[in-house]
Amino acid sequence: NAGVTQTPKFQVLKTGQSMTLQCAQDMNHEYMSWYRQDPGMGLRLIHYSVGAGITDQGEVPNGYNVSRSTTEDFPLRLLSAAPSQTSVYFCASSYRTSGYTDTQYFGPGTRLTVL
Amino acid sequence: QQQVKQSPQSLIVQKGGISIINCAYENTAFDYFPWYQQFPGKGPALLIAIRPDVSEKKEGRFTISFNKSAKQFSLHIMDSQPGDSATYFCAASSPGTYKYIFGTGTRLKVLA
């Protein structure tokens, strides 16, 4: 299993450009999420999905869109990039066992710089 | 706003020593408290987790202590090794949701 994969690893954008960060998992996990990681602020939830066709907002959703057409893929779209969106972005997937223990698997991250 | 407060921000420990990282939360509805370990350039990885029905959970050198009345939980790393040098995050989530609130992280350095 490849686990959670993210592309690209690095990206530089100019203010106002749009782009899509790709995320895929091959573990048949129902739950997927996107976080951004900024120095001194930990990880903050952007959007999440509990299954194909179902998405919801996290703590910091503004400026980002998501969709989940398949179980495997959960792309994150930046509509009009701003310097404040410079960050490291992590995608994660998880499942819940019968004992209600969540095991969340993170991808390797995408480092985005907006000039 | 739901918060998880983590301390210290950074920690330096001698090899063989005990590393202790603390977290405090506000929302009494939280029922799942994981700890994640992150190495530079990598994504976080689940280290150990606890639910509030127990006060302590141990896995190898890693132990979570949980104090429900104080709304605090902590990670103890026994016999700390240089390979434990990483950033550690605590987190919390509520029942019926998959939404996690993360602490701000602790950068641990274990000196050889």
Side-chain angles (χ1 to χ4, degrees):
Chain A
N1 286 352
V4 180
T5 58
Q6 291 183 238
T7 55
K9 292 190 186 314
F10 302 95
Q11 183 70 50
V12 179
L13 293 178
K14 294 181 179 179
T15 297
Q17 287 184 316
S18 63
M19 79 158 296
T20 299
L21 306 185
Q22 301 292 342
C23 175
Q25 54 95 4
D26 61 359
M27 298 173 283
N28 200 33
H29 288 170
E30 57 184 358
Y31 173 66
M32 297 184 74
S33 58
W34 276 102
Y35 295 87
R36 58 177 291 173
Q37 184 175 27
D38 301 292
M41 301 189 73
L43 292 103
R44 292 182 293 169
L45 182 64
I46 304 171
H47 285 286
Y48 67 101
S49 168
V50 298
I54 306 171
T55 64
D56 204 351
Q57 296 180 352
E59 293 178 75
V60 289
N62 293 341
Y64 307 95
N65 274 358
V66 292
S67 60
R68 183 114 178 254
S69 57
T70 66
T71 300
E72 294 78 18
D73 300 299
F74 191 43
L76 178 72
R77 297 182 187 85
L78 280 71
L79 307 175
S80 178
S84 61
Q85 293 179 305
T86 293
S87 187
V88 181
Y89 291 84
F90 288 100
C91 178
S93 72
S94 68
Y95 66 96
R96 183 162 286 178
T97 68
S98 60
Y100 298 99
T101 298
D102 298 312
T103 301
Q104 191 164 211
Y105 296 85
F106 283 83
T110 293
R111 186 175 295 274
L112 175 68
T113 302
V114 182
L115 302 176
Chain B
Q1 183 180 357
Q2 300 174 350
Q3 286 187 335
V4 176
K5 296 182 179 180
Q6 184 171 347
S7 63
Q9 187 175 2
S10 62
L11 182 62
I12 299 175
V13 174
Q14 293 288 337
K15 178 182 177 181
I18 301 173
S19 304
I20 301 174
I21 304 170
N22 301 299
C23 283
Y25 62 96
E26 300 173 355
N27 187 351
T28 55
F30 288 149
D31 76 335
Y32 180 67
F33 303 91
W35 284 91
Y36 287 84
Q37 180 187 56
Q38 183 180 30
F39 293 105
K42 303 293 185 182
L46 179 65
L47 188 62
I48 187 172
I50 197 169
R51 291 200 176 270
D53 53 344
V54 296
S55 60
E56 185 175 282
K57 183 175 182 180
K58 184 176 181 179
E59 291 184 1
R61 296 185 293 109
F62 301 92
T63 300
I64 299 179
S65 297
F66 186 81
N67 186 329
K68 188 174 182 179
S69 61
K71 292 186 288 184
Q72 295 176 347
F73 58 109
S74 59
L75 176 69
H76 296 237
I77 305 175
M78 312 300 287
D79 187 26
S80 298
Q81 300 296 313
D84 297 331
S85 297
T87 299
Y88 293 81
F89 293 96
C90 62
S93 70
S94 302
T97 77
Y98 288 90
K99 298 173 68 172
Y100 290 81
I101 305 296
F102 280 80
T104 51
T106 296
R107 183 172 292 182
L108 170 66
K109 183 170 185 177
V110 181
L111 301 177

